[in-house]
Amino acid sequence: MLNKSSLFLAAVAFSNAALSQTVFSVSGCTGVTSVNDGGSCQAICNTYVQINQEDNKNVFDVLAFTDSGCKTAATTPEYSLDCSKVEPLKIGDYTITCPAASTASASTAGASTAGASTGSSTAGANTTTTAAATTDGNTSSATTIASSILIMAGIIKKDGEKKRVLIVGCGFGGSQVAKLLDSKFEVTVVERKKTFFNSIASIRAIVEPELAKKIYIPYDKLLKNGKFIYGTVIEISPTLVKLEDGQELTFDYLVIATGSNSLAPFKAPLEKITGNEILNYYKDISEQIKQAKSILIVGGGSVACEVVGEIIDKYPPPIENKELAKKITIVHSGNKLVSPKTNNKFNDSINNYMKKGNVSIILNDRIEIPDDIKQCFINQRSPNFQVSLKTYKTKNGLSIESDFVIWTVGIKLNNESYKSNFSNEINEIGQIKVNQSCQVQGYDNIFAIGDITDFDELKTSYNAISHGNIVAKVIKDLSNGQKNKNQLSKHKLPGPIIGLSLGPKDGITQINSNLNFGSFITRILKSNNLLINRFQKHFNNPEPLKL
């Protein structure tokens, strides 16, 4: 089977075979140039097209001729040339440059270039690309066939063909972009897992394991027109995306939505693949929590507090069955629970809840993370949960006895695939620098959304979905010819929006800096169902995961 390179070379070979040896030198690299030769006129459209090659940068010169006269490319074929950002490239004696670099001019070449169908010369900073042309009747048919071959190869697109949107990652934000663009664009989603993981609801699955079948949501109904490629991305560059299995994907628009890792069970452990493995995994955690007498929660963010809420709801104090009573301790490096952005009223509410539940809170202290837990964190593997009484030392010298530990410490950005090629576009902690339209710094057609962006805001599902809405609007506007960046949709940085579930019947909500709601509103917004129904609907109600 011919690959794109083979098809391209076949097209060039066929086209050149029909051309005479008259050579025209085209300076620069843009647009359509009219060339006079012996009283006749020929238009040469010089465009350089990026195609998939092992070195990631092979660029070729596509020649499109009018059938007669000095028509411009816009008035002739039904083909438009699909050209995105391309770096200048030296291949042997040829220097290839991008169409947008300068305006083109043409003149007939002298005897020094005769006898060669294509060639080039460079002098200092000036680049000259030479293209073969002829006035005989074979040119039009040769070019038409060559163009047809190139269309088959996916290098030239017919006018009206859908633009290609490539989305890497299909979490909260990536799935939103994919769904919104599916009908008008050629959408391809690359995702390493075959199911969406509703991390919001995962905190309840550790005490209600049957929920696992609802928090793992198959992707198979999300797209009606687009497609999924299940695999691991190893490299993202400005022109293509490489997968671990060797596939290389090109795009018109790229959305980087690789997200972040946190420790299982609050992110899907990658080694748990089958339905039985997943269900047994949550059943095992649930059973160990049931057996545990003392539970240590390392970390005091929103996940930690929501986990405490689920355990207290399942085993509320005072509990008649002393065998099921739980002593819960939180160790948190911050000076208050949940977030530095919470207001005093929110803080008072969460502290009162913890006091009522007999939860011990240790602030401004930390427990060193063991190496095996760090490795699970990096590889998104499940820690070895088991009931075993141990003593844990804090940095400040406190000793805490516990027979079950739940680690809820931070997140790790999934930035390995893009950090080498976008080293100038990431900040000191590995987040991608974006403008208010979620465009990666320096690129109009590449976007980043979700946890990996450098927006100064809470990294929440709400904000990731908001990014997805913005990117979908911007891509639609760009594809319709909008060039004024001021007219593109913008992500407005919100104040803190925090909905904290504390079991199915309780919770606290803060909107911006001064608006708070208690259990009644929070139960309606989040706690009762943890958005399970919402995301089932978002993914078009696929068949539940078979467990």
Side-chain angles (χ1 to χ4, degrees), residues 390-501:
K390 294 181 181 179
T391 299
Y392 297 86
K393 287 275 190 180
T394 72
K395 185 178 180 182
N396 293 338
L398 295 176
S399 295
I400 303 169
E401 276 197 347
S402 176
D403 56 15
F404 192 75
V405 181
I406 299 175
W407 302 88
T408 65
V409 281
I411 63 172
K412 173 194 161 293
L413 296 178
N414 294 324
N415 59 11
E416 295 83 2
S417 60
Y418 63 74
K419 63 184 180 181
S420 61
N421 289 311
F422 292 91
S423 57
N424 294 326
E425 291 77 40
I426 60 177
N427 64 16
E428 63 279 0
I429 61 173
Q431 295 171 326
I432 300 179
K433 299 174 185 177
V434 293
N435 62 19
Q436 295 304 110
S437 296
C438 297
Q439 291 168 302
V440 175
Q441 178 179 283
Y443 298 90
D444 292 337
N445 69 325
I446 301 179
F447 302 82
I449 61 176
D451 290 356
I452 60 171
T453 64
D454 69 339
F455 286 129
D456 183 17
E457 62 186 6
L458 294 174
K459 301 306 181 184
T460 63
S461 59
Y462 175 88
N463 285 329
I465 292 168
S466 176
H467 301 169
N469 289 331
I470 294 297
V471 167
K473 291 176 183 177
V474 171
I475 289 176
K476 287 177 182 177
D477 288 343
L478 291 175
S479 70
N480 288 329
Q482 178 60 260
K483 295 182 179 180
N484 185 347
K485 286 194 172 184
N486 293 327
Q487 298 298 315
L488 297 176
S489 296
K490 304 286 191 295
H491 174 59
K492 296 178 176 61
L493 295 179
I497 299 175
I498 304 170
L500 190 75
S501 167

Side-chain angles (χ1 to χ4, degrees), residues 336-338 342-356 361 502 508 510 516:
K336 61 180 179 179
L337 296 175
V338 183
T342 55
N343 59 31
N344 291 334
K345 187 175 181 180
F346 189 102
N347 297 335
D348 290 342
S349 296
I350 188 63
N351 289 333
N352 289 336
Y353 176 86
M354 295 298 176
K355 183 178 180 180
K356 183 180 176 182
I361 301 172
L502 296 170
I508 314 165
Q510 176 182 322
N516 294 75

Side-chain angles (χ1 to χ4, degrees), residues 186-490:
E186 183 185 311
V187 173
T188 300
V189 178
V190 182
E191 172 57 57
R192 57 184 174 175
K193 304 182 299 292
K194 293 187 177 182
T195 54
F196 171 81
F197 182 73
N198 182 355
S199 57
I200 296 170
S202 65
I203 51 105
R204 189 162 296 163
I206 66 172
V207 294
E208 294 184 23
E210 293 296 328
L211 273 182
K213 66 182 67 174
K214 294 184 178 180
I215 66 174
Y216 282 80
I217 306 175
Y219 287 120
D220 54 2
K221 285 195 175 181
L222 177 65
L223 302 179
K224 295 180 180 178
N225 303 296
K227 67 177 180 179
F228 272 82
I229 295 176
Y230 296 109
T232 299
V233 170
I234 59 172
E235 183 181 353
I236 300 174
S237 79
T239 54
L240 59 78
V241 169
K242 292 183 179 181
L243 275 64
E244 194 173 51
D245 64 3
Q247 290 187 76
E248 296 184 351
L249 308 174
T250 56
F251 52 82
D252 297 303
Y253 302 102
L254 171 66
V255 183
I256 306 173
T258 51
S260 62
N261 277 354
S262 59
L263 273 170
F266 313 114
K267 285 281 188 176
L270 293 182
E271 80 275 19
K272 310 299 181 187
I273 298 173
T274 68
N276 283 335
E277 286 176 332
I278 292 167
L279 181 59
N280 290 335
Y281 170 70
Y282 281 98
K283 281 183 174 180
D284 182 54
I285 296 174
S286 177
E287 182 60 30
Q288 292 188 66
I289 289 174
K290 181 179 179 180
Q291 294 174 15
K293 302 289 191 299
S294 55
I295 298 175
L296 173 61
I297 312 287
V298 183
S302 58
V303 171
C305 293
E306 290 189 328
V307 166
V308 170
E310 295 298 329
I311 295 173
I312 288 176
D313 180 77
K314 189 74 172 180
Y315 307 103
I319 189 167
E320 292 182 4
N321 185 349
K322 299 300 181 183
E323 292 296 314
L324 298 179
K326 314 296 176 192
K327 175 178 172 52
I328 302 174
T329 302
I330 295 176
V331 178
H332 183 43
S333 60
N335 60 9
K336 61 180 179 179
L337 296 175
V338 183
S339 169
K341 296 180 182 291
T342 55
N343 59 31
N344 291 334
K345 187 175 181 180
F346 189 102
N347 297 335
D348 290 342
S349 296
I350 188 63
N351 289 333
N352 289 336
Y353 176 86
M354 295 298 176
K355 183 178 180 180
K356 183 180 176 182
N358 295 329
V359 178
S360 299
I361 301 172
I362 301 171
L363 300 176
N364 300 307
D365 205 350
R366 65 177 67 238
I367 293 176
E368 186 67 26
I369 304 173
D371 289 342
D372 62 325
I373 299 298
K374 289 179 182 177
Q375 201 59 41
C376 290
F377 189 69
I378 292 170
N379 298 329
Q380 202 173 323
R381 302 282 171 173
S382 174
N384 182 23
F385 290 107
Q386 60 181 12
V387 175
S388 177
L389 186 63
K390 294 181 181 179
T391 299
Y392 297 86
K393 287 275 190 180
T394 72
K395 185 178 180 182
N396 293 338
L398 295 176
S399 295
I400 303 169
E401 276 197 347
S402 176
D403 56 15
F404 192 75
V405 181
I406 299 175
W407 302 88
T408 65
V409 281
I411 63 172
K412 173 194 161 293
L413 296 178
N414 294 324
N415 59 11
E416 295 83 2
S417 60
Y418 63 74
K419 63 184 180 181
S420 61
N421 289 311
F422 292 91
S423 57
N424 294 326
E425 291 77 40
I426 60 177
N427 64 16
E428 63 279 0
I429 61 173
Q431 295 171 326
I432 300 179
K433 299 174 185 177
V434 293
N435 62 19
Q436 295 304 110
S437 296
C438 297
Q439 291 168 302
V440 175
Q441 178 179 283
Y443 298 90
D444 292 337
N445 69 325
I446 301 179
F447 302 82
I449 61 176
D451 290 356
I452 60 171
T453 64
D454 69 339
F455 286 129
D456 183 17
E457 62 186 6
L458 294 174
K459 301 306 181 184
T460 63
S461 59
Y462 175 88
N463 285 329
I465 292 168
S466 176
H467 301 169
N469 289 331
I470 294 297
V471 167
K473 291 176 183 177
V474 171
I475 289 176
K476 287 177 182 177
D477 288 343
L478 291 175
S479 70
N480 288 329
Q482 178 60 260
K483 295 182 179 180
N484 185 347
K485 286 194 172 184
N486 293 327
Q487 298 298 315
L488 297 176
S489 296
K490 304 286 191 295

